[in-house]
Amino acid sequence: MLPTIQYRKLSFEEIHLSLFQYFNRRQDVTKCWRKEHSRWVVRDAPFVDDWGEAEYQTLTDCLRNTVSTGGFVYGAFCDGSLKGFVSVEAELFGKEQYYLDLTSIHVSKELRGQGIGKVLFARAGEWAKQHGAKKLYISAHSAVETQAFYRSLGCVEAQVYHPAHVAAEPFDCQLECVL
């Protein structure tokens, strides 16, 4: 039986380090997508992506900033504990000002594959569309399974890359999703 998940918008006041005490970010990566000579290929790139207290503190600061600047932070809770979240920044960008930036979407390891990420992504898209976006922009982890998730939701390679995202995470795949 699938657990009961409650979804809701998060307030500035509730976003603090302890919110993530039962959240497991760990991802065991074996293969990643890489762009080589204008072609996408899968390469062996084994590593463990896991967060410690410093990463959760940075995340907390970022999510609080998102809320305080008018953006969207939405959570998925199981038995009162945060098990998934998504964030979208409020500022439109792109040549024609049609993108809103989906800056994070994560589901705790033990609940992945149960549709929580799809619900979070849909809610982010609804919010972005209501706030003037034509597309979501995603600088996404290049792990094969992460890219499969985004592709299943209709994401494709971004027509225009956001230079700051590329500089910050050069191995990320720059994606967009029409709303």
Side-chain angles (χ1 to χ4, degrees), residues 27-93:
Q27 183 175 1
D28 298 301
V29 177
T30 57
K31 296 185 179 293
C32 291
W33 285 96
R34 297 288 185 255
K35 195 167 193 177
E36 298 176 1
H37 310 293
S38 301
R39 280 188 46 231
W40 286 102
V41 296
V42 174
R43 295 284 182 228
D44 289 330
F47 69 98
V48 174
D49 193 1
D50 206 353
W51 292 347
E53 186 172 336
E55 289 84 5
Y56 281 110
Q57 186 60 60
T58 298
L59 172 65
T60 299
D61 295 343
C62 290
L63 293 177
R64 288 173 67 95
N65 182 68
T66 298
V67 171
S68 69
T69 57
F72 179 71
V73 178
Y74 198 75
F77 292 81
C78 182
D79 296 327
S81 297
L82 183 73
K83 293 298 181 177
F85 61 94
V86 65
S87 61
V88 180
E89 302 306 314
E91 185 178 336
L92 288 164
F93 70 93

